Amino acid sequence: MVFVYGTLKRGFPNHPLLAASGSPLVGAASTATPASLVVGPYSVPFLLPRPSSSSGSHLVSGELYAVSPRALVDLDALEGTHLGVYERRKVTVVVEGGSGEVVEAEAYFAHTSYMEALWLRCGGEAAEIGEYTMEHAAKDLDPQLQVALKGYLVARGVNSKLASSLHHHLVEKERWQYMNWLKTLEDMFSHHLVEKERWQYMNWLKTLEDMFSKDH
């Protein structure tokens, strides 16, 4: 059993590796006890063995998968365990839903050789989060682009509540719905954005389209 909490989750860039391996989803899950999860450089999430100064104030949300030995080799390669980037460690998780089953699993933690320095660099305990979201994944987008996109969507009635529900909606729907949604956005941007900004939005939409096509 492997607990994933970041880019291997459904809807995120590295999930196709799990999907291609045929690893079945057991269910949404969270750590049984508070843990330390931070977003490091380039929006990469890191689950940390408990730093010495952290109380671990959040239960960390993610997904639990039943992974074959072959798939585990591929995951180890992706996570750079042979390079000392991540290391696989035991973690106890609770499967969400009716059963509330407690499961002993493994997860990819930041390697102990640098985890304390990373934790401090990210902002320490104040920077710990309970869930890695699309907002975290996109935080390295150009700041002006983020502001412009937010303003554009708000002006057209897409408020923060609706925006936060889009990810859940997208993950659950079929590929053709993703494509239709992206095409609608592209048409809107093409008609309403100034020329110098349009290419940035088109690149952003193309990235989304590629990601959704691979994931679904």
Side-chain angles (χ1 to χ4, degrees), residues 39-187:
V39 180
Y42 306 105
S43 301
V44 176
F46 292 89
L47 192 60
L48 307 176
R50 186 66 59 80
S52 58
S53 301
S54 172
S55 63
S57 56
H58 300 278
L59 298 178
V60 173
S61 298
E63 297 171 349
L64 185 65
Y65 288 86
V67 177
S68 69
R70 175 67 254 179
L72 198 58
V73 170
D74 292 337
L75 289 178
D76 283 350
L78 173 72
E79 303 292 6
T81 57
H82 62 297
L83 300 173
V85 180
Y86 288 88
E87 56 185 349
R88 233 181 327 115
R89 298 167 64 102
K90 293 181 179 180
V91 62
T92 304
V93 300
V94 178
V95 180
E96 297 175 7
S99 67
E101 182 183 4
V102 177
V103 177
E104 295 301 319
E106 293 185 321
Y108 289 93
F109 287 76
H111 197 275
T112 50
S113 63
Y114 68 84
M115 66 92 181
E116 189 89 30
L118 174 66
W119 182 75
L120 291 171
R121 176 182 175 182
C122 289
E125 192 167 353
E128 293 177 2
I129 60 175
E131 180 181 9
Y132 182 73
T133 67
M134 281 294 186
E135 183 177 0
H136 295 115
K139 74 174 186 177
D140 280 344
L141 288 176
D142 179 83
Q144 291 183 334
L145 180 59
Q146 292 184 54
V147 171
L149 178 59
K150 181 178 179 181
Y152 179 81
L153 295 177
V154 169
R156 284 155 182 80
V158 182
N159 58 28
S160 59
K161 183 177 181 180
L162 176 58
S164 65
S165 70
L166 284 176
H167 173 60
H168 176 74
H169 171 75
L170 291 174
V171 167
E172 299 301 327
K173 300 301 179 181
E174 300 296 331
R175 184 186 303 180
W176 69 269
Q177 291 175 301
Y178 287 105
M179 297 302 106
N180 286 345
W181 180 73
L182 289 169
K183 184 64 169 61
T184 299
L185 283 179
E186 182 176 357
D187 290 343

Side-chain angles (χ1 to χ4, degrees), residues 185-202:
L185 283 179
E186 182 176 357
D187 290 343
M188 290 168 61
F189 290 152
S190 296
H191 286 93
H192 296 289
L193 294 178
V194 295
E195 188 62 37
K196 67 178 181 180
E197 295 176 335
R198 185 179 301 165
W199 69 270
Q200 293 177 299
Y201 286 97
M202 295 303 103

